[in-house]
């Protein structure tokens, strides 16, 4: 299988490289990831300037991109690499559950892949200590092994949907092993508790973003609770907007 691998943490991310090295055991992996951290950019696309695609390692097919995660998918699928059979975005530092999906560049890349009709996955790992944990404290190998071992099944979730387009959102804790996989039939709701502090200037104001302590709500089978119980939470997310 030809796999396009990207993320929103940047091409140097340990989560990305762990997944690349693991998937390469059985598949042809092509990496096109942002040149720097692009977290929380959602589905942003650069349209007003050309993108710079830099070859980092020709032998391993690793490239960086001056754009955003969705740009990486557009350029990778659009001609940089051979025909892509699957797009995988991750492994991301931190969860992308519930309301996170709206803001996530990781999910934005997977969504872009699904819009091309390519089976696409967004993969994220949350440390039990949350954002207080350092990057080097994250465990990625168990999730990478899970993706390798279950790739065909995960891809199948986006098939036989008729006219509907969707991507698979995958989350787990930073653990050496998982209890198994559970389908999360409900996505959680995140209340981030963020605040804004305004600072007066000569021209107007500076708006300072102050992260809050998030609260997560949802039922027993929501993505948050499934992951917190030590399972890999798998959710199928609609890619196209719809009405209620």
């Amino acid at each position: 299988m030809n796999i396009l691998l990207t993320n929103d943490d940047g091409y140097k991310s340990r989560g990305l490289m762990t997944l690349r090295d693991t998937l390469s055991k059985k598949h042809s992996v092509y990496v096109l990831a942002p040149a720097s951290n692009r977290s929380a950019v959602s589905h942003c696309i650069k349209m007003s300037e050309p993108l710079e695609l830099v070859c980092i390692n020709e032998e391993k097919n690793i490239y960086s991109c001056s754009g955003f995660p969705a740009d990486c998918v557009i350029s990778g699928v659009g001609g940089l690499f051979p025909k892509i059979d699957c797009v995988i975005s991750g492994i991301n530092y931190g969860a992308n559950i519930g309301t996170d999906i709206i803001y996530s560049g990781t999910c934005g890349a997977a969504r872009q892949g699904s819009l091309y009709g390519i089976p696409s996955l967004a993969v994220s790992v949350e440390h039990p200590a949350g954002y207080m944990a350092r990057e080097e404290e994250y465990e990625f190998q168990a999730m990478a092994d899970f993706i390798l071992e279950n790739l065909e099944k995960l891809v199948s979730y986006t098939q036989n949907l008729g006219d509907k387009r969707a991507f698979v959102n995958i989350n787990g804790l930073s653990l050496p092993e998982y209890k198994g996989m559970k389908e999360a039939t409900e996505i959680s709701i995140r209340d981030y508790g963020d605040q804004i502090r305004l600072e007066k200037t000569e021209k107007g104001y500076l708006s300072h973003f102050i992260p809050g302590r998030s609260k997560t709500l949802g039922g027993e089978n929501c993505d948050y609770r499934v992951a917190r119980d030590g399972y890999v939470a798998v959710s199928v997310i609609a890619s196209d907007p719809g009405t209620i």
Side-chain angles (χ1 to χ4, degrees):
M1 189 181 295
N2 289 335
I3 299 174
L4 171 59
L5 190 58
T6 189
N7 69 353
D8 70 358
D9 293 319
Y11 74 93
K12 295 180 180 180
S13 165
R14 188 163 57 86
L16 178 84
M17 287 297 107
T18 300
L19 186 56
R20 193 216 76 85
D21 293 344
T22 302
L23 291 174
S24 294
K25 296 174 182 178
K26 292 185 179 181
H27 302 280
S28 297
V29 181
Y30 302 86
V31 177
L32 180 58
S36 59
N37 189 292
R38 297 293 194 180
S39 297
V41 298
S42 189
H43 208 119
C44 189
I45 295 172
K46 276 192 175 183
M47 301 177 65
S48 59
E49 60 186 78
L51 300 173
E52 184 178 16
L53 310 180
V54 177
C55 181
I56 304 300
N57 188 318
E58 185 174 5
E59 182 180 355
K60 293 184 177 181
N61 296 310
I62 300 175
Y63 287 75
S64 70
C65 173
S66 61
F68 300 102
D71 289 318
C72 294
V73 176
I74 293 170
S75 293
V77 170
L80 181 63
F81 300 129
K83 182 182 181 300
I84 296 298
D85 303 305
C86 178
V87 172
I88 304 180
S89 183
I91 300 170
N92 185 66
Y93 287 96
N96 278 306
I97 59 174
T99 317
D100 300 341
I101 296 168
I102 299 171
Y103 304 105
S104 167
T106 303
C107 292
R111 186 183 298 109
Q112 183 63 45
S114 72
L115 296 180
Y116 287 132
I118 300 172
S120 300
L121 317 177
V123 188
S124 305
V125 163
E126 172 75 292
H127 196 281
Y131 289 106
M132 297 298 291
R134 299 187 302 272
E135 289 187 4
E136 59 268 25
E137 295 177 312
Y138 275 76
E139 167 62 57
F140 292 113
Q141 192 59 57
M143 180 59 81
D145 291 339
F146 170 83
I147 298 299
L148 177 63
E149 294 164 8
N150 296 278
L151 185 56
E152 287 75 17
K153 182 175 183 178
L154 294 169
V155 164
S156 73
Y157 283 113
T158 65
Q159 298 171 341
N160 302 318
L161 296 177
D163 294 333
K164 297 179 181 179
R165 297 184 290 187
F167 66 93
V168 181
N169 193 35
I170 301 160
N171 283 272
L173 288 179
S174 173
L175 297 173
E177 61 181 338
Y178 296 104
K179 295 179 180 178
M181 176 180 71
K182 277 190 177 182
E183 295 179 39
T185 57
E186 174 190 354
I187 62 170
S188 53
I189 297 174
R190 301 271 244 178
D191 179 359
Y192 300 104
D194 301 328
Q195 295 181 340
I196 295 296
R197 179 175 61 83
L198 294 177
E199 178 185 350
K200 191 77 172 70
T201 67
E202 292 182 0
K203 295 182 179 180
Y205 294 90
L206 288 176
S207 179
H208 298 271
F209 177 79
I210 304 173
R213 183 179 295 274
S214 64
K215 298 179 181 179
T216 306
L217 306 175
E220 289 300 319
N221 202 36
C222 73
D223 47 8
Y224 172 78
R225 294 188 183 276
V226 169
R228 279 289 168 180
D229 287 342
Y231 294 89
V232 176
V234 177
S235 310
V236 181
I237 308 298
S239 299
D240 295 294
T243 57
I244 296 176

